[in-house]
Amino acid sequence: MSAALLDFPPAGPSARDLMERALDPHILLGMPHLNGNGLSETWLMKELGHRHWLMLACHLGLDNADFRTAGGEEAYAAICATSLTDACFDVVQANNILTIHSRLSAVSRTRTSTRHELSIHGRSVGAVELISTFVHRTIKDNNHSIARVTLPEPQGQRFQSSLLAQNAADIRNGRLGTHFGFPVLAHRALRTFRFDPSASQEFNGAGLFYFAEYQALADRALENWFPCKGPIVRKDVFFLGNIDQNESVFFDLIDFSDEQKTVHGQLRRKNGKVIAKIFGMWTSRR
């Protein structure tokens, strides 16, 4: 008597297993992670955004980063502010091991912060904080209709303060007077750079203009206007809206200081609606 052998395929890792792998603190750097100035800021922001969402899913006890409203509709942990400090990306090279130590804290019932300390072989190369808030579309496929939404939160959660989150709220509500020494409410442009984003390149899987592309677009304009500017040291970005596909976006240079090597710019729609405020600081070219 013989028994038939059933050939079951081996079970693959679960989404939760892969989330934990994706949060490994060590990354071997190669060409996808670098640019002509060292570590790519755009790649880094995408990577940290991904880690932010996975950490948030773990914090909420989810098996993957599939966030839903109480009614079962898709919700997105939209990045509403980022802050890069003490950056020295120009020392980063291929085959370096980048270590990312991250921690999450709830700022309020609707906002979450993750802080990421970056180092190469024990040497700090920068720190990044990201603030997110849950949003959804109130009109299907309309990125102008993005609105905040509250999701269930862990019981007994304690909130921690964040200066970046406070500045973001104050900018959104018109309460912050100056930042990086510039008047925040100034809007008159010294120069303007127009950009037509590509649906296949600058928009993410949710159909939104990807938060990492805001600073990438600003860099394109600033490198065109200031070709001799040195490596980035500090940058704060405050996100105030989004755009639809096939819509142009404009970067306005609001003010700059040659002495302090600082700049204030904004991204806006054609109708003048500001969708981001960007403040940056660079070193001298070595």
Side-chain angles (χ1 to χ4, degrees):
M1 183 175 178
S2 61
L5 296 178
L6 299 179
D7 185 18
F8 291 103
S14 68
R16 184 70 181 221
D17 291 335
L18 293 175
M19 285 202 299
E20 293 177 0
R21 292 187 196 179
L23 292 172
D24 188 287
H26 306 293
I27 298 175
L28 178 63
L29 299 178
M31 291 304 107
H33 316 99
L34 305 172
N35 61 25
N37 296 319
L39 186 66
S40 166
E41 183 185 352
T42 301
W43 168 82
L44 178 66
M45 288 301 176
K46 290 180 179 181
E47 173 66 21
L48 297 184
H50 183 52
R51 289 177 180 241
H52 179 101
W53 296 315
L54 296 182
M55 293 170 66
L56 184 52
C58 293
H59 176 69
L60 296 175
L62 304 177
D63 289 331
N64 54 47
D66 182 19
F67 305 113
R68 297 280 167 172
T69 67
E73 298 175 341
E74 278 189 303
Y76 311 107
I79 303 298
C80 55
T82 63
S83 181
L84 168 65
T85 55
D86 300 322
C88 44
F89 293 167
D90 55 322
V91 305
V92 180
Q93 300 176 353
N95 301 312
N96 283 166
I97 296 175
L98 174 67
T99 299
I100 305 174
H101 287 301
S102 305
R103 65 185 186 275
L104 177 147
S105 59
V107 176
S108 69
R109 290 192 62 208
T110 58
R111 293 176 298 166
T112 303
S113 163
T114 58
R115 293 177 172 87
H116 310 268
E117 304 292 335
L118 314 173
S119 63
I120 299 288
H121 304 306
R123 174 185 175 181
S124 174
V125 293
V128 177
E129 182 178 6
L130 287 79
I131 305 292
S132 73
T133 187
F134 284 111
V135 302
H136 73 139
R137 292 182 179 90
T138 58
I139 301 174
K140 185 178 179 180
D141 298 328
N142 186 325
N143 290 348
H144 293 190
S145 72
I146 291 292
R148 296 191 179 194
V149 64
T150 301
L151 268 65
E153 62 185 42
Q155 295 296 319
Q157 182 166 247
R158 293 185 177 181
F159 301 133
Q160 297 186 21
S161 63
S162 164
L163 179 59
L164 178 63
Q166 185 61 55
N167 284 340
D170 288 345
I171 282 181
R172 182 174 291 274
N173 295 314
R175 294 192 300 257
L176 189 63
T178 61
H179 197 60
F180 281 44
F182 298 115
V184 172
L185 296 179
H187 290 289
R188 185 175 180 179
L190 302 176
R191 299 179 182 178
T192 296
F193 182 92
R194 173 177 171 163
F195 188 70
D196 296 315
S198 164
S200 66
Q201 298 296 320
E202 281 86 30
F203 285 79
N204 63 17
L208 296 167
F209 189 53
Y210 205 0
F211 85 96
E213 299 297 341
Y214 285 66
Q215 60 86 21
L217 169 57
D219 279 353
R220 292 191 188 188
L222 293 170
E223 287 174 8
N224 181 271
W225 296 329
F226 305 104
C228 296
K229 75 177 183 66
I232 184 70
V233 173
R234 183 183 172 196
K235 184 183 290 180
D236 286 358
V237 183
F238 301 96
F239 303 88
L240 305 171
N242 211 278
I243 60 171
D244 286 323
Q245 295 182 19
N246 301 316
E247 182 178 3
S248 297
V249 64
F250 301 81
F251 177 75
D252 294 329
L253 176 64
I254 303 301
D255 204 350
F256 68 97
S257 169
D258 281 332
E259 181 179 356
Q260 300 296 327
K261 297 179 177 58
T262 51
V263 66
H264 170 201
Q266 66 183 21
L267 284 169
R268 62 174 172 83
R269 301 176 190 147
K270 185 177 181 179
N271 65 4
K273 165 65 177 177
V274 177
I275 62 170
K277 293 291 249 180
I278 300 175
F279 302 85
M281 178 182 297
W282 289 267
T283 61
S284 299
R285 177 68 66 179
R286 295 175 182 175

